[in-house]
Amino acid sequence: MDTSLIDKAAEILLKARHTVALTGAGISTESGVPDFRSPGGIWERYDPTIFFYDRFIAQPDFVWRQLLDMHRSGGLTIWSAEPNRGHDALAWMEAVGILKAIITQNIDNLHQKAGSEHVIEFHGNMLYVRCLDCACLYRYDEILDEIARHLPPRCDCGGVLKPDIIFFGEAIPPAALHESVEEADCCDVMLVIGTSAQIEPAASLPLIAKGMGSMMFHFMHIGKPDKRCHVIEINREPTPLTHEVSDFLIQGSAGEALQMIMERIQDLQGKAP
Ligand code: APR
């Protein structure tokens, strides 16, 4: 890992006014939660159409059965996973006032488990299910008996319960979308961690941070071309952002890089007059 970039990132973060992080599945792989597009990832083992919104509406029992199979076969190890040093480093950065918000595409609740408080869940949270009729929210572990009785599980009102995650073809929760755009629009540093940057509209948030606007959000009248913002990528491999949007890529393990950045910041703080 290029330690000069670790040092550079630590110095930028210490001087920053408003830093946000955009995280993807890559930050959770060191917790045993597979990502989607790496070799052996979820989309290599499961049919993505299971997660098409229209499919859930048409065949909720089938989709629930697939989800439970994924859970039982260990393909979706979300419920038992624990945060890793990457999640812990971001929680520390928030606790000491360096990090203002995390926008996560992940549904695994690991940022919250690590102690991060300002977490914007762009794709929802797998620990909850929501009624399609009355929007009542339940914790997943509150409906295990209901699931054992029949699929799809139903709300007290009779409506079908759906995992509170965003399926393909489903709108991003408006509050999460708006807050994420605001954070991207006002930040002067964005850490982009463990995402292949292939899924919109999340992949456009770094462009907004950079003041490059984006076709995805032109209707929100944002994107200041003169905006000054550092976009720092941390990822195992280059992504479409790397040579177009990011200031630099720290290539390697997100957990290792974030821990090294945290330790470098602590060194610099210790030396501060
Ligand atoms: N450290 C750093 N990078 C990692 C690590 C790691 N330990 N593990 C994986 N990565 C990188 C991979 O190389 C890849 O570039 O993280 C990225 C993960 O990309 P994806 O699997 O595409 O996950 P993500 O970008 O979060 O997907 C976005 O797609 O399928 C939808 O809704 C789903 O939220 C998800 C969205």
Side-chain angles (χ1 to χ4, degrees), residues 24-26 29-30 35-38 43 105 123 168 194-196 199 235-237 252-254:
T29 54
E30 291 164 62
D35 68 7
F36 295 93
R37 294 173 182 82
S38 289
W43 297 148
Q105 301 171 85
H123 291 158
F168 290 111
T195 181
S196 62
I199 297 298
N235 209 55
R236 267 206 197 118
E237 60 194 356
S253 147

Side-chain angles (χ1 to χ4, degrees), residues 148-161:
R149 275 196 295 275
H150 52 76
L151 294 177
R154 289 188 179 271
C155 174
D156 295 341
C157 80
V160 169
L161 294 174

Side-chain angles (χ1 to χ4, degrees), residues 65-234:
R65 204 163 288 109
Q66 295 296 308
L67 280 170
L68 293 172
D69 288 351
M70 287 173 77
H71 181 32
R72 289 185 191 116
S73 66
L76 205 58
T77 52
I78 281 174
W79 288 277
S80 56
E82 290 300 324
N84 64 60
R85 53 188 174 167
H87 300 103
D88 293 342
L90 291 182
W92 176 82
M93 288 183 201
E94 180 188 56
V96 298
I98 289 173
L99 185 65
K100 304 300 183 194
I102 295 174
I103 303 162
T104 189
Q105 301 171 85
N106 300 340
I107 58 175
D108 56 29
N109 204 57
L110 290 180
H111 287 301
Q112 293 92 327
K113 259 188 173 178
S116 291
E117 293 180 6
H118 190 186
V119 180
I120 304 167
E121 294 181 311
F122 212 69
H123 291 158
N125 188 319
M126 194 70 184
L127 295 194
Y128 298 91
V129 297
R130 190 183 294 273
C131 175
L132 288 176
D133 288 354
C134 71
C136 185
L137 199 64
Y138 300 84
R139 276 184 60 93
Y140 176 81
D141 51 17
E142 287 174 330
I143 61 152
L144 296 176
D145 292 344
E146 172 67 7
I147 287 175
R149 275 196 295 275
H150 52 76
L151 294 177
R154 289 188 179 271
C155 174
D156 295 341
C157 80
V160 169
L161 294 174
K162 170 183 167 293
D164 199 32
I165 60 176
I166 302 305
F167 280 49
F168 290 111
E170 189 176 1
I172 302 299
L177 178 63
H178 194 84
E179 190 179 5
S180 299
V181 170
E182 282 192 328
E183 287 293 339
D185 203 27
C186 80
C187 73
D188 61 341
V189 178
M190 178 178 275
L191 296 171
V192 181
I193 307 163
T195 181
S196 62
Q198 292 181 37
I199 297 298
E200 293 293 357
S204 286
L205 292 170
L207 281 81
I208 292 170
K210 211 61 180 172
M212 298 164 82
S214 158
M215 281 309 293
M216 290 299 299
F217 295 103
H218 67 86
F219 60 93
M220 295 177 90
H221 309 300
I222 43 90
K224 310 177 186 79
D226 60 345
K227 187 171 184 289
R228 292 284 164 265
C229 175
H230 292 285
V231 173
I232 300 172
E233 247 188 308
I234 299 175

Side-chain angles (χ1 to χ4, degrees), residues 33-48:
V33 180
D35 68 7
F36 295 93
R37 294 173 182 82
S38 289
I42 289 177
W43 297 148
E44 213 173 78
R45 290 180 283 156
Y46 298 100
D47 172 6

